[in-house]
Amino acid sequence: MKRLLPADKKAIAMAAWLFYSERGFDAQLIHRNDDEAIELRVTYEDSQSLPECPMLHHTSFSATYTRVGYSDMVYSCIIPSAFL
């Protein structure tokens, strides 16, 4: 896969945010100063099915799913080095 430039990563982060926001999910983009990355954080109820965003399938991105509270889930995708 081709190397992504910082501008490419910012565009992917914005498009992924729109992907989830337009589907009614609580989506946030967070600039992580410590490692110059963007974190896409999507919160949803565990009774919902979270669709996969095809733009986030890249080997340098990492994703986690975490249970928060009784019925909420958080999907977090880290897009590294988007601010070089």
Side-chain angles (χ1 to χ4, degrees):
M1 195 170 250
K2 279 182 125 179
R3 181 177 175 275
L4 297 175
L5 299 174
D8 299 329
K9 293 177 182 183
K10 289 176 195 172
I12 290 169
M14 291 292 296
W17 177 83
L18 282 170
F19 178 89
Y20 288 111
S21 294
E22 291 291 317
R23 287 164 175 77
F25 291 96
D26 176 20
Q28 301 172 16
L29 283 178
I30 301 162
H31 176 206
R32 295 171 31 143
N33 289 323
D34 57 333
D35 56 1
E36 297 300 324
I38 296 175
E39 178 181 357
L40 171 67
R41 189 178 296 170
V42 182
T43 304
Y44 61 101
E45 291 185 23
D46 62 0
S47 62
Q48 293 178 295
S49 177
L50 186 70
E52 282 192 39
C53 179
M55 293 166 277
L56 297 176
H57 292 265
H58 192 274
T59 57
S60 69
F61 301 169
S62 63
T64 59
Y65 293 87
T66 307
R67 178 171 296 282
V68 180
Y70 176 70
S71 64
D72 284 343
M73 297 291 290
V74 175
Y75 167 73
S76 177
C77 182
I78 307 298
I79 302 169
S81 302
F83 290 96
L84 292 177

